[in-house]
Amino acid sequence: MAEPTPRRNEPRLRPAPLLFEPAQAGADPEHFFDLESIDDPRELLARATELTQAFRAATDRAVEFQAIAAAQLADPRRFDRLTPADIAARAEWTEDYAKKMVEYGRDLLRGDVEGRGTTDPV
């Protein structure tokens, strides 16, 4: 599993770069970040592992931003506040998951998530 995302005062480690796929290569289902062109299994394992870690880090970070956005949208101080059901519909979540994400986002905004070890609120 990916390492927890560093908090505000901790330096952020950079995962392997996610190189953008050229338009022609993206149309080829066999093409994936040029992995199919690597013949050496050691090199293939190393690069595939780098990509796996990068995708996990990107997923963790995206989940944090989803949670923050959900918390902001549900903020009772907003005149246009959304209900957990509204947030769930927009994000294609269940209402229960939306409630957990709102709470997780509030924790993130308060800085109360140290030591959780993962960004998944469930």
Side-chain angles (χ1 to χ4, degrees):
M1 182 163 275
E3 293 184 23
T5 304
R7 299 295 159 229
R8 296 170 206 236
N9 297 333
E10 298 176 23
R12 182 176 291 278
L13 298 175
R14 297 283 177 207
L18 295 176
L19 305 175
F20 289 97
E21 299 270 39
Q24 301 89 357
D28 180 4
E30 296 298 317
H31 185 84
F32 186 73
F33 288 91
D34 210 29
L35 292 178
E36 71 286 345
S37 68
I38 300 174
D39 294 326
D40 178 9
R42 288 178 184 89
E43 185 181 339
L44 178 59
L45 179 61
R47 180 62 181 146
T49 301
E50 287 175 349
L51 284 170
T52 299
Q53 291 170 345
F55 283 124
R56 285 180 182 155
T59 299
D60 289 347
R61 195 72 177 129
V63 167
E64 288 180 351
F65 279 106
Q66 283 182 312
I68 289 169
Q72 291 171 337
L73 288 169
D75 188 338
R77 296 171 294 183
R78 291 178 61 110
F79 76 92
D80 60 346
R81 169 186 165 190
L82 296 180
T83 66
D86 293 331
I87 293 168
R90 287 178 181 233
E92 299 180 6
W93 296 333
T94 65
E95 189 172 346
D96 286 340
Y97 187 76
K99 289 175 185 176
K100 290 176 184 179
M101 286 293 277
V102 167
E103 188 56 40
Y104 179 56
R106 288 177 178 154
D107 289 347
L108 285 170
L109 290 168
R110 283 191 304 263
D112 291 346
V113 293
E114 295 300 322
R116 279 203 178 171
T118 181
T119 58
D120 192 352
V122 178

